[in-house]
């Protein structure tokens, strides 16, 4: 296990190194002048020259690249051209909101997706199976921003039961301010016993979490169904049935355990994908996370922020892939670490 983890870490470092080269070169060939973005379009030429020198744009590209890598390793991810603040500070201040949204959405997607997949596999080809497959395909196919708008029209405009945007109501910071303990607002409101803030935050969480969970839920429901159909045709399942084991025990304990490895792979990749998939969701629901910062950075051609977000997303994919492989080896002893 230790050798496997070390090999994967070395491979991950190489992947990130290649990615830094690609992202750095692409950022430099974009037809825009970072000095103009930083100093403003009406800045005089002398001020633009000073900014280029201050930011290092007057040096050769290879020198800029090695300086960029050195700063990355020391925790300096550059300054945002739009906000003039360190990019790492901007990301860390927004990361808790995004992680809470992703965590809530993925818990919903995994639990509902696995349950629906197992239910659909009971009677393939029947009405319930067809309904679940139809809903799964819909969740995969519908664009996130469009689904978010539909949910807002239904639950906010039509039923009026849920808030439309934001992480908390504006009145919460005055009436029931949240005591920061871990940095995660919804979790902190629960830990501190702030019931009003927790209820308000949970209501704001429902619609963006449903929107973000639709795609991975559909994937996991279809993957669980396919894996369960394959497992239920194995000899040891027929043996268990011949011994008179109850169908519930066979399907939910014996078969599901052996059907989980491919589902775990999908869940891990979907979790990492959700880090970038929140862009549209956070924009629609005005969620104060990384996705909203990424959207504004791309519109402003804020390349230091774009590069940092790209590296963060790639790191999330690599870490999620490693954790899924380790978890699969614990669940399924047939998996060999190679």
């Amino acid at each position: 296990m230790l050798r496997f983890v070390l090999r994967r870490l070395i491979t991950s470092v190489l992947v990130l190194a290649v990615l830094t080269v690609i992202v750095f070169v692409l950022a430099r060939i974009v037809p825009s002048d970072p000095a103009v973005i930083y100093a403003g379009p009406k800045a005089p030429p002398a001020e633009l020259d000073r900014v280029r020198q201050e930011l290092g744009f007057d040096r050769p590209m290879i020198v800029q690249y090695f300086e960029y890598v050195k700063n990355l390793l020391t925790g300096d991810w550059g300054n945002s051209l739009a906000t003039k603040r360190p990019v790492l500070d901007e990301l860390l201040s927004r990361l808790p909101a995004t992680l809470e949204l992703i965590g809530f959405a993925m818990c919903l997607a995994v639990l509902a997706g696995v349950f629906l997949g197992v239910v659909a596999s009971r009677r393939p080809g029947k009405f319930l199976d067809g309904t679940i497959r139809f809903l799964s395909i819909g969740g995969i196919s519908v664009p996130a921003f469009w689904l978010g708008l539909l949910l807002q029209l239904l639950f906010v405009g039509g039923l009026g039961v849920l808030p439309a945007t934001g992480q908390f109501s504006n009145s919460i910071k005055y009436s029931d301010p949240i005591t920061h303990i871990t940095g995660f607002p919804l979790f902190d409101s629960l830990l501190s016993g702030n019931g009003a803030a927790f209820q308000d935050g949970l209501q704001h969480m429902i619609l963006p979490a449903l929107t973000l969970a639709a795609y991975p839920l559909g994937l996991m429901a279809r993957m669980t169904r396919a894996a369960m159909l394959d497992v239920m045709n194995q000899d040891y399942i027929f043996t268990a049935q011949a011994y008179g084991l109850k169908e519930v025990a066979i399907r939910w304990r014996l078969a599901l355990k052996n059907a989980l490895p491919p589902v775990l792979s999908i869940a891990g990749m979907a979790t990492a994908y959700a880090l970038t998939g929140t862009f549209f969701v956070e924009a629609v629901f005005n969620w104060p996370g990384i996705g909203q910062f990424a959207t504004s950075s791309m519109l402003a051609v804020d390349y230091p922020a774009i590069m940092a977000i790209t590296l963060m997303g790639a790191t999330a994919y690599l870490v999620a892939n490693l954790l899924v492989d380790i978890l699969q080896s614990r669940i399924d002893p047939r998996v060999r670490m190679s």
Side-chain angles (χ1 to χ4, degrees), residues 152 156 163-169 204 283-287:
Q152 285 178 332
V156 181
T165 59
Q167 189 179 17
F168 291 94
S169 299
H204 281 78
V284 170
F285 292 95
N286 194 28
W287 194 263

Side-chain angles (χ1 to χ4, degrees), residues 112-113 116-117 120 129-142 214-223 225:
L116 291 176
D129 175 40
T131 302
I132 293 176
R133 282 191 293 165
F134 174 79
L135 294 176
S136 300
I137 295 174
I140 297 172
S141 306
V142 174
Y215 179 79
L217 193 156
L219 281 180
M220 279 180 276
R222 291 180 61 81
M223 179 61 71
R225 176 186 179 276

